[in-house]
Amino acid sequence: MRKSVLAAVITLSALMSPAASAFDPDTPVDAEKEVFPITLGSDEDETIDLAFRTAFGLPKGAEPEAARTIDERSYHFRPVAIHLLADNTGVLLSVGSLDEAGHSEGGLNAIHYLKSSPDGWVKQGEWIGLGATGTVGNGATSWAFSSLLGRNPYLITAGGGVWQGCAIGSAAVTELAPDGPVDRGSFTDGMSSGAGLGQTEQEYEGKIAAAVPDKSFTVAYTGTRSFKQEYVLNNGKYELVGKDQVPGC
């Protein structure tokens, strides 16, 4: 369940990412062909408990939740989505909520690589702290896996919050390389204002609408006005070309 108040201002269409596991028969295989724009969703996959237990070392039959203490702060993780790579490696996304968080504090995301075997999933690697997060202790509040951005699949996560009546969201792009996920930068995926004193009422929503694989992608914005912004891969990160046209808070 999304707890970030950003959801009340910026509505995202639900679109689940491809998921599969020969050892988790309840997890469906989504064979639909991908098309632009890439739409993030917030529906949580409820069929991936086996993968989550392997990722966090939980016993068989345990509830799909895990507590971790990181930098002396307590986070509670739950699984939300899984994607199957070409070599039958499952990429599991889990989101961690921060206990007793202040408004400006975010949660954490966890990415696990899990290799399929005759005995089930085998944990290959763990990465915590990648991707976008929401305020008030939330991890990512929406996400999508996509094969449209490069030779390797990408995970796109988004999060954000509201500050004195102005909501703004950021999306991170993470390449799912064979040896592990790689942070490739971020872009503003939503902005809405007007609820605060003296604010101009305006609203924008951005989606990746085109890409030259492993070179650039274009974000198309709709709302108060329509425009596009290009991001080019430079020294390992996608960087905005020109001035950011999305107003800040």
Side-chain angles (χ1 to χ4, degrees), residues 28 68 95 109-110 116-117 124 131 150 174 179 181 195-196 206 211 223 225 236 245:
R68 284 281 186 90
V95 295
N109 304 317
S116 60
S117 79
Q124 299 294 298
T174 304
D179 295 334
R225 65 186 183 90
Q245 300 181 62

Side-chain angles (χ1 to χ4, degrees), residues 36-38 40 146-150 154-157 170-175 182-189 206-221 227-234 236-242:
F36 289 111
I38 299 173
L40 308 190
S146 178
S147 62
L148 299 175
L149 300 184
Y154 272 71
L155 168 62
I156 305 164
T157 51
S170 177
V173 289
T174 304
E175 182 180 1
V182 182
D183 176 21
R184 294 298 186 199
S186 63
F187 64 93
T188 301
D189 76 325
K207 297 180 181 180
I208 298 178
V212 178
D214 297 312
K215 293 184 178 180
S216 67
F217 62 81
T218 300
V219 180
Y221 291 89
F227 57 91
K228 295 180 180 179
Q229 297 193 151
E230 184 181 18
Y231 289 76
V232 174
L233 189 63
N234 183 27
K237 293 287 186 72
Y238 283 96
E239 298 178 350
L240 175 63
V241 177

Side-chain angles (χ1 to χ4, degrees), residues 76-235:
H76 283 82
F77 288 89
R78 68 183 188 278
V80 295
I82 196 169
H83 178 80
L84 191 66
L85 302 181
D87 63 350
N88 285 328
T89 294
V91 179
L92 175 69
L93 171 65
S94 304
V95 295
S97 299
L98 174 62
D99 291 352
E100 300 179 355
H103 177 268
S104 62
E105 294 179 303
L108 289 174
N109 304 317
I111 298 174
H112 289 88
Y113 279 24
L114 307 167
K115 186 70 174 180
S116 60
S117 79
D119 296 321
W121 293 116
V122 178
K123 182 177 172 180
Q124 299 294 298
E126 175 182 271
W127 295 265
I128 294 180
L130 289 174
T133 59
T135 56
V136 200
N138 286 293
T141 52
S142 59
W143 47 81
F145 291 97
S146 178
S147 62
L148 299 175
L149 300 184
R151 62 186 180 278
N152 294 317
Y154 272 71
L155 168 62
I156 305 164
T157 51
V162 176
W163 290 266
Q164 297 181 346
C166 180
I168 194 160
S170 177
V173 289
T174 304
E175 182 180 1
L176 302 177
D179 295 334
V182 182
D183 176 21
R184 294 298 186 199
S186 63
F187 64 93
T188 301
D189 76 325
M191 183 272 181
S192 179
S193 65
L197 183 64
Q199 289 182 0
T200 300
E201 186 173 343
Q202 51 188 333
E203 185 171 357
Y204 299 90
E205 181 181 9
K207 297 180 181 180
I208 298 178
V212 178
D214 297 312
K215 293 184 178 180
S216 67
F217 62 81
T218 300
V219 180
Y221 291 89
T222 56
T224 301
R225 65 186 183 90
S226 299
F227 57 91
K228 295 180 180 179
Q229 297 193 151
E230 184 181 18
Y231 289 76
V232 174
L233 189 63
N234 183 27
N235 293 323

